[in-house]
Amino acid sequence: MTDQARTCRATTALAARGEGQAAASLGALAVQHSPLPADGPLSPLAAAIDQHGGCVPLPYGQGQCWVARTGEAVSGMLYATPPIRWLQQQPPPHRNDLIHFLIEIELLAVAEPHRTQGVGTALLQEAENTAHANGTHLALAKIRIGAFPIMRWYRRRGYTIAAQNEPLVFATRHGLTSCDDGSDGYQLAAKALQPGTTLRRTARGGTPLILLERDT
């Protein structure tokens, strides 16, 4: 655990029903750099959290929303899901079997007064620990191209930052496969979650890639 996580005074847990607006408003900071108005219409994520709590049903598996609470206030949120786009690219008979192979950190945001206090680190560790327990092999986060402070933040927490369009290659029980950033203005940050596995940058046929491999 990092020093930041040890000094964090927030508590982390799955979001509760009724916290949808607070969680989604913070999540909007990660996308549009401004919170949702408290009196505006509920976003789909806010409505789903209000109905289901922190475990949100999805076409494949479920999304999970953790919140950090400092006193009575929701001071941070993290929303993670199975990588739906990647799953849809897999053969239909394999999709349910691969739901837990990857986890994608879709949203991670901390309210400005609570930044640099370890809140984001605590939320990320919560998501990683749960994914590890579920047998998940890789955690992924998409970072906007040029967002160097965020890249450094993830790198300090053990993530490898892929170059634009650089694929991650890994073996599943169904064979060798890969994923990438989707060429949509983001780069991938990735971290191996299971003991005895490592991400290594290499090349095949002159093409650079990041390979998930077992330690030898």
Side-chain angles (χ1 to χ4, degrees):
M1 184 177 293
T2 66
D3 289 341
Q4 279 189 312
R6 283 198 294 268
T7 60
C8 177
R9 297 181 180 178
T11 59
T12 57
L14 286 170
R17 293 180 181 179
E19 290 186 318
Q21 185 71 21
S25 181
L26 275 179
L29 289 172
V31 179
Q32 61 192 32
H33 309 294
S34 62
L36 296 174
D39 57 351
L42 285 177
S43 71
L45 177 58
I49 293 170
D50 283 347
Q51 180 179 358
H52 300 286
C55 296
V56 178
L58 296 173
Y60 305 105
Q62 63 182 13
Q64 292 185 309
C65 182
W66 285 270
V67 296
R69 302 183 184 98
T70 304
E72 299 295 322
V74 174
S75 53
M77 68 85 69
L78 183 150
Y79 181 61
T81 76
I84 302 298
R85 180 176 64 87
W86 177 76
L87 286 168
Q88 289 173 333
Q89 295 170 351
Q90 307 309 308
H94 299 170
R95 291 172 185 170
N96 285 336
D97 184 53
L98 294 173
I99 283 172
H100 294 296
F101 195 92
L102 308 174
I103 186 174
E104 185 172 347
I105 311 299
E106 281 202 358
L107 299 170
L108 173 55
V110 176
E112 189 167 357
H114 302 282
R115 293 175 187 171
T116 72
Q117 298 175 21
V119 174
T121 298
L123 286 165
L124 187 62
Q125 288 183 335
E126 190 82 57
E128 290 176 356
N129 291 343
T130 300
H132 172 268
N134 287 336
T136 300
H137 292 263
L138 273 172
L140 305 176
K142 294 182 75 173
I143 302 171
R144 193 177 299 278
I145 292 172
F148 299 114
I150 297 176
M151 292 180 190
R152 289 192 292 270
W153 187 88
Y154 274 103
R155 189 177 286 114
R156 289 195 296 267
R157 285 148 185 83
Y159 283 71
T160 298
I161 309 300
Q164 295 176 44
N165 301 318
E166 185 177 24
L168 297 170
V169 178
F170 44 88
T172 74
R173 61 183 295 181
H174 304 293
L176 200 66
T177 186
S178 67
C179 65
D180 58 34
D181 54 42
S183 300
D184 58 358
Y186 289 83
Q187 293 174 234
L188 288 181
K191 182 178 181 178
L193 296 179
Q194 294 301 320
T197 60
T198 304
L199 287 170
R200 180 172 66 89
R201 184 167 269 113
T202 183
R204 290 187 176 181
T207 301
L209 56 87
I210 297 173
L211 180 67
L212 177 67
E213 60 184 4
R214 291 198 171 275
D215 298 337
T216 57

